[in-house]
Amino acid sequence: MLRKDSLPSLLPKWYRGRLERRMVGSTNRWRFPREPFSGDLLGLSQMWKALNVDFEEVLKDPDRLYVSQIQKIFSRNLKNKTIQSREADVILKCLGSTWELHQPHLFQSETLAKLYLMALSQGTTSPKKELERLLQAQLCGSVQERPPIKKMIISLKINDPLVTKVAFATALKSLYLSEVEMNMDDVLGVLASAHILQFSSLFQRCVAMMMNGLTPTTIKSFYVAGCKYKEEQLTTACEKWLEMNLVPLVGRQIHLRKIPQELLHRVLRSPRLFTFNEFHLLKTLLLWVFLQLNHRIQTVPVHETVLAFFNSFPKKYSFLDQDTGQSLVPLFLCVRLHGIIKGKNLEELRHINFFPESWLIRVTANHYHALESGGDMVHVKDLTTQAMRFGLLFNQEYTTHSEIIAVYGFFFEIKGIKQDTTSYSFYMQRVRHTDLEFPSSVCKHGPVSLRAERLVKYEIRAQTLVDGKWQEFRTNQITQKFGFVKPSCKSHALKIQTVGIPIYVSFSFIFPIS
């Protein structure tokens, strides 16, 4: 014979949870358990009182409904195939079409839940009883035992142009299936649909898919969507992706035209921005401006075409001083013109009459004073915002990769070495101009310093994308005297372990007063 107190232990765990009650004092008032709803109707009534919301108030103002509490109740039956085979009990009219839905599923959407409750309050003689029956139906032991629920018709008006019928149908399908297939062409519309439906799990799935699907063709639309729906996680991902890919990838494609000026400005101000050198960055910006002003161009022009276009403007004022260019001044203030040191490139800037004369005079004067003082950059103080920038893009096929850079007569090799499948080392070292393999290409028309030592303040940074997240490695800001022989000729090495590829490596340095 079974004792009364032994009965609960023999019941299934999920059913025992329904028998649990939470009591507070002698009044037996409702108290929140770990689960928002424990399962009995007396507790349900007390829960509404504890929330200061009763059934009648819910029906008058569905916005006051704690939809998440109701969702917990309905979620128990979402995977019940019998429910899916039952006749639809909710008709949704939207986008010129009629959609048949089931109550337990539509409560995943806060918007549909509120519309349903509004229809319930207006379409029945006793809405309070209907709502009680609706909740009671979800607590029955089997689907067949559920009392019949009145079929409701609800309407939803959508003005968002991103929402298409296909995307909206995918969102509604996601009420029934946890992993509905989506392609990248439809994800923007599904995101917009999920936002309107207030279907949070689908919305976050779309965000994750978009963050992993950033390309030159999608960067603009995904960023604009992140701003529109105030999804900071998505806008931040777009910014970080563009910081790495503006110069080496987007800057070589016609899609550069689509980058919004506000996003471009944010990226240019970032200390994480990757570029091969300052002139590469400037060429990218000039191309962006060219594409903004030449909408019919559908292919990326050669650099000489861009230069000829700007050279065609009146010579009385520089391009940035004219009405067309004044709004672009904040972008070009982010370019470190003092980092452009080749005479050929500086002559190019003067020839196209793009920058105000005062800017170019200041750059020339700074170069002159630095050369006169043995390379000391008196005009540069802050490594983070003013350093000369050079970069290596370390691709999968490389075992070693290096570039030679020349600054005020000092020559450095920036280098990356692949140690094994996941280990890399990056460093810079000073070299003699006589040791260069092709000295004429680096030294031609440039100075050569014979100083035995050069004081350098530098930082090495490496970034790569792994499983949708950016990994960042960096040295400290290091001040070191570089000579010609080991160990003084070589910088501290940045050693990293990563499976990410490619690796964006930035070398930033200044020559302090020595």
Side-chain angles (χ1 to χ4, degrees):
M1 181 174 178
L2 294 173
R3 292 185 349 207
K4 254 187 184 180
D5 56 2
S6 66
L7 180 60
S9 64
L10 298 177
L11 296 174
K13 185 176 181 181
W14 63 268
Y15 190 75
R16 291 204 306 271
R18 293 187 174 189
L19 297 180
E20 292 177 1
R21 294 291 306 281
R22 299 297 170 91
M23 296 178 162
V24 181
S26 59
T27 59
N28 188 25
R29 295 184 63 188
W30 173 263
R31 181 179 180 181
F32 286 106
R34 289 186 179 180
E35 293 295 326
F37 178 63
S38 63
D40 63 294
L41 294 177
L42 176 59
L44 174 66
S45 175
Q46 292 175 348
M47 181 187 76
W48 289 115
K49 291 179 181 178
L51 294 172
N52 293 322
V53 180
D54 60 27
F55 285 114
E56 293 178 356
E57 287 298 318
V58 166
L59 293 166
K60 288 179 183 177
D61 184 9
D63 284 335
R64 290 187 62 192
L65 174 66
Y66 283 69
V67 176
S68 61
Q69 310 289 338
I70 299 297
Q71 288 173 333
K72 290 287 186 180
I73 303 171
F74 282 89
S75 64
R76 294 175 180 172
N77 293 316
L78 291 182
K79 296 182 179 179
N80 192 318
K81 294 182 180 179
T82 311
I83 289 179
Q84 296 183 27
S85 65
R86 292 171 59 199
E87 182 182 355
D89 41 27
V90 180
I91 304 299
L92 170 63
K93 294 184 176 180
C94 183
L95 297 175
S97 298
T98 299
W99 318 80
E100 295 185 342
L101 304 173
H102 300 82
Q103 290 166 343
H105 297 275
L106 70 82
F107 271 88
Q108 293 177 85
S109 160
E110 292 191 22
T111 298
L112 297 182
K114 291 171 185 177
L115 288 174
Y116 179 81
L117 290 170
M118 289 174 64
L120 191 67
S121 67
Q122 298 170 5
T124 60
T125 56
S126 181
K128 179 178 178 180
K129 288 185 178 179
E130 288 291 338
L131 181 56
E132 289 174 339
R133 291 175 63 194
L134 168 64
L135 296 177
Q136 185 178 5
Q138 300 306 313
L139 300 171
C140 293
S142 65
V143 178
Q144 289 78 6
E145 296 173 4
R146 288 179 184 150
I149 303 296
K150 180 178 175 62
K151 182 176 291 189
M152 289 293 170
I153 299 177
I154 59 178
S155 298
L156 177 62
K157 186 176 181 179
I158 297 177
N159 296 318
D160 193 331
L162 291 177
V163 179
T164 64
K165 282 189 178 182
V166 172
F168 192 71
T170 301
L172 293 180
K173 188 176 180 181
S174 298
L175 294 172
Y176 293 82
L177 301 174
S178 58
E179 292 295 330
V180 174
E181 287 188 13
M182 282 188 289
N183 59 51
M184 205 58 69
D185 293 333
D186 296 330
V187 68
L188 202 56
V190 178
L191 177 86
S193 302
H195 175 78
I196 288 171
L197 292 173
Q198 297 182 60
F199 189 176
S200 59
S201 61
L202 178 61
F203 186 86
Q204 290 304 319
R205 184 185 167 207
C206 290
V207 168
M209 186 174 174
M210 293 163 77
M211 289 171 61
N212 290 321
L214 290 170
T215 66
T217 58
T218 63
I219 180 67
K220 183 217 171 172
S221 58
F222 287 3
Y223 177 77
V224 171
C227 294
K228 179 178 181 178
Y229 302 120
K230 297 180 174 58
E231 183 57 38
E232 186 176 350
Q233 186 181 12
L234 179 57
T235 56
T236 299
C238 291
E239 289 175 21
K240 288 186 175 181
W241 184 88
L242 193 59
E243 287 167 2
M244 296 298 101
N245 292 288
L246 174 64
V247 174
L249 182 60
V250 183
R252 299 180 179 182
Q253 300 187 24
I254 197 66
H255 303 295
L256 175 66
R257 166 190 282 139
K258 300 177 183 178
I259 303 300
Q261 182 172 338
E262 179 265 340
L263 172 59
L264 186 60
H265 190 215
R266 293 174 72 92
V267 168
L268 291 173
R269 294 173 60 188
S270 171
R272 295 182 297 270
L273 173 65
F274 174 84
T275 182
F276 298 111
N277 56 53
E278 209 66 33
F279 192 66
H280 263 88
L281 177 61
L282 177 59
K283 286 170 63 176
T284 301
L285 284 184
L286 291 175
L287 176 58
W288 180 86
V289 177
F290 175 86
L291 294 174
Q292 302 306 303
L293 301 176
N294 295 273
H295 299 287
R296 294 183 179 180
I297 299 293
Q298 297 301 317
T299 57
V300 177
V302 296
H303 183 56
E304 288 71 22
T305 301
V306 177
L307 296 179
F309 170 76
F310 289 116
N311 194 39
S312 67
F313 281 81
K315 302 298 183 182
K316 187 175 181 180
Y317 301 102
S318 71
F319 179 83
L320 291 182
D321 283 329
Q322 298 177 34
D323 293 340
T324 309
Q326 285 183 355
S327 63
L328 304 175
V329 169
L331 296 180
F332 287 91
L333 285 174
C334 297
V335 180
R336 304 172 189 180
L337 291 179
H338 60 271
I340 301 174
I341 51 181
K342 286 186 177 181
K344 176 186 175 182
N345 296 339
L346 292 171
E347 280 299 321
E348 200 172 90
L349 296 186
R350 291 189 185 92
H351 181 67
I352 63 173
N353 193 35
F354 187 89
F355 293 98
E357 185 68 21
S358 60
W359 291 27
L360 298 178
I361 290 174
R362 183 170 61 250
V363 170
T364 303
N366 288 337
H367 288 332
Y368 175 81
H369 291 305
L371 286 169
E372 192 178 47
S373 58
D376 292 352
M377 301 178 183
V378 181
H379 56 285
V380 175
K381 304 295 182 184
D382 183 54
L383 184 68
T384 302
T385 60
Q386 297 178 299
M388 292 194 170
R389 299 179 284 195
F390 298 89
L392 292 177
L393 186 57
F394 205 93
N395 291 314
Q396 187 170 9
E397 65 269 18
Y398 293 147
T399 54
T400 62
H401 182 41
S402 66
E403 296 285 346
I404 298 294
I405 56 177
V407 180
Y408 300 142
F410 297 91
F411 300 90
F412 293 88
E413 181 184 27
I414 55 176
K415 191 169 187 177
I417 299 175
K418 185 176 183 178
Q419 311 285 2
D420 56 43
T421 54
T422 60
S423 300
Y424 302 85
S425 178
F426 303 99
Y427 62 90
M428 58 186 286
Q429 62 183 0
R430 187 181 176 189
V431 294
R432 298 178 187 271
H433 71 283
T434 54
D435 295 336
L436 299 178
E437 187 174 354
F438 303 104
S440 61
S441 63
V442 180
C443 305
K444 189 176 182 181
H445 305 306
V448 175
S449 176
L450 300 178
R451 291 183 60 170
E453 292 183 330
R454 174 64 257 174
L455 188 65
V456 182
K457 186 175 184 180
Y458 65 91
E459 179 185 67
I460 306 172
R461 185 194 302 257
Q463 299 170 89
T464 188
L465 190 63
V466 178
D467 296 330
K469 294 183 179 180
W470 287 98
Q471 291 183 342
E472 183 174 342
F473 311 89
R474 57 194 292 189
T475 64
N476 295 324
Q477 293 187 6
I478 302 170
T479 302
Q480 175 183 336
K481 283 186 178 181
F482 281 80
F484 286 116
V485 296
K486 294 182 180 181
S488 66
C489 68
K490 185 177 177 181
S491 74
H492 289 249
L494 175 64
K495 298 180 179 180
I496 69 172
Q497 294 274 344
T498 184
V499 295
I501 209 76
I503 304 172
Y504 304 80
V505 190
S506 297
F507 298 81
S508 304
F509 62 83
I510 61 176
F511 293 167
I513 299 174
S514 57

